[in-house]
């Protein structure tokens, strides 16, 4: 059994992401090959990883590899940056660059990496499946507007703000990301064909396959 270690931005994702990944691993029948590390690395905004020629990215990777039986690193960050290192942000280009830098310290040979950006935010996926949240486990409810966002990966830019206005009692990432991850209707979300979530599920499948076969990879490459 190989370990998948998660890299996420903040405290809320550190609680929610392992649960969401575990739900997907269950649906992909991946537990014969992987375990999901329950303690993600909180790495902050992408800009922190890329400064000083990606020094923090390398440092975090080396720290993660000190954990036992690491087979894969799954990176999940918000895709809401305007610029990175003076260039317009592109999720695909940034993910490829992170993969290339990871290859310099053994990714693709001794372990696998998969880099994913949720567009615009992790909460954008919650908006995509908002119609499936009849109520939350703590009995709070969502009051949906008459006109729902047509494509949450493009707008609203402030997904957290949208949820604050929609959820009774408001929305706080540190309190609510795990609540939403538990209540998220994956079937409904898949029907929205949100490209970043499709990429997220595909990345998990790639890591399962790599751990199962022992053929490591970097994704995207």
């Amino acid at each position: 059994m190989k370990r998948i270690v998660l890299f996420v931005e903040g405290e809320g994702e550190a609680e929610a992401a392992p649960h969401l990944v575990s739900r997907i691993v269950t649906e992909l029948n991946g537990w014969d090959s992987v375990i999901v590390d329950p303690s993600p690395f909180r790495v902050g905004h992408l800009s922190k990883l890329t400064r000083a020629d990606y020094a923090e990215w390398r440092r975090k990777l080396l720290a993660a590899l000190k954990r036992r039986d690491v087979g894969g690193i799954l990176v999940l960050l918000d895709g809401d940056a305007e610029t990175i290192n003076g260039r317009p942000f592109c999720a695909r280009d940034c993910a490829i660059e992170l993969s290339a830098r990871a290859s310099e310290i053994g990714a693709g040979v001794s372990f696998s990496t998969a880099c994913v950006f949720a567009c615009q935010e992790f909460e954008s996926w919650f908006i995509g499946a908002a119609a499936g949240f009849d109520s939350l486990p703590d009995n709070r409810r969502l009051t949906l507007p008459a006109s729902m966002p047509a494509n949450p990966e493009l707008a609203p830019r402030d997904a957290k703000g949208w949820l604050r206005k929609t959820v009774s009692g408001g929305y706080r990432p540190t309190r609510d990301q795990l609540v939403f991850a538990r209540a998220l209707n994956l079937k409904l979300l898949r029907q929205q064909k949100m490209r970043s979530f499709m990429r997220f599920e595909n990345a998990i499948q790639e890591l399962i396959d790599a751990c199962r076969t022992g053929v490591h990879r970097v994704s995207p490459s």
Side-chain angles (χ1 to χ4, degrees):
M1 297 285 285
K2 291 297 184 179
R3 183 181 304 270
I4 295 177
V5 179
L6 308 181
F7 284 15
V8 299
E9 286 201 9
E11 181 180 347
E13 290 99 341
E15 292 184 341
H19 181 82
L20 182 56
V21 172
S22 294
R23 289 183 61 188
I24 295 171
V25 170
T26 296
E27 295 197 6
L28 296 175
N29 297 311
W31 294 116
D32 64 311
S33 303
V34 303
I35 59 174
V36 178
D37 193 292
S39 301
F41 281 78
R42 292 165 53 186
V43 300
H45 192 266
L46 173 64
S47 59
K48 294 182 64 176
L49 291 181
T50 61
R51 68 179 56 156
D53 197 31
Y54 291 79
E56 182 68 5
W57 170 232
R58 290 190 291 270
R59 190 182 73 81
K60 291 291 189 183
L61 284 173
L62 292 172
L65 293 173
K66 292 179 181 179
R67 296 186 180 179
R68 187 173 60 183
D69 298 324
V70 174
I73 308 291
L74 175 60
V75 182
L76 174 61
L77 302 175
D78 286 349
D80 59 352
E82 294 288 346
T83 61
I84 292 295
N85 294 335
R87 294 178 296 176
F89 170 75
C90 170
R92 179 179 178 275
D93 290 349
C94 283
I96 289 173
E97 183 66 19
L98 288 172
S99 294
R101 299 303 182 109
S103 297
E104 296 171 0
I105 58 173
V109 178
S110 56
F111 66 99
S112 297
T113 59
C115 302
V116 180
F117 288 96
C119 297
Q120 297 284 327
E121 303 171 62
F122 186 55
E123 285 83 0
S124 298
W125 296 347
F126 301 155
I127 295 175
F133 293 110
D134 182 45
S135 65
L136 297 174
D138 55 10
N139 295 319
R140 285 181 296 154
R141 303 185 69 85
L142 278 69
T143 303
L144 300 180
S147 178
M148 290 290 292
N151 185 350
E153 291 189 298
L154 296 178
R157 292 283 297 181
D158 182 13
K160 294 177 178 64
W162 189 94
L163 287 170
R164 279 194 295 271
K165 297 175 182 177
T166 305
V167 180
S168 61
Y171 175 86
R172 296 202 305 270
T174 55
R175 178 191 66 185
D176 292 328
Q177 284 181 330
L178 177 58
V179 173
F180 273 79
R182 285 173 171 163
L184 185 63
N185 185 322
L186 293 178
K187 181 178 180 179
L188 178 60
L189 182 54
R190 291 180 184 119
Q191 290 173 355
Q192 309 311 307
K193 298 189 182 302
M194 297 176 69
R195 293 179 63 183
S196 62
F197 184 74
M198 293 166 64
R199 161 65 186 150
F200 181 60
E201 290 202 289
N202 186 60
I204 295 171
Q205 181 69 73
E206 289 174 333
L207 291 178
I208 292 172
D209 291 344
C211 291
R212 182 176 284 143
T213 63
V215 180
H216 294 294
R217 62 179 299 166
V218 292
S219 176
S221 61

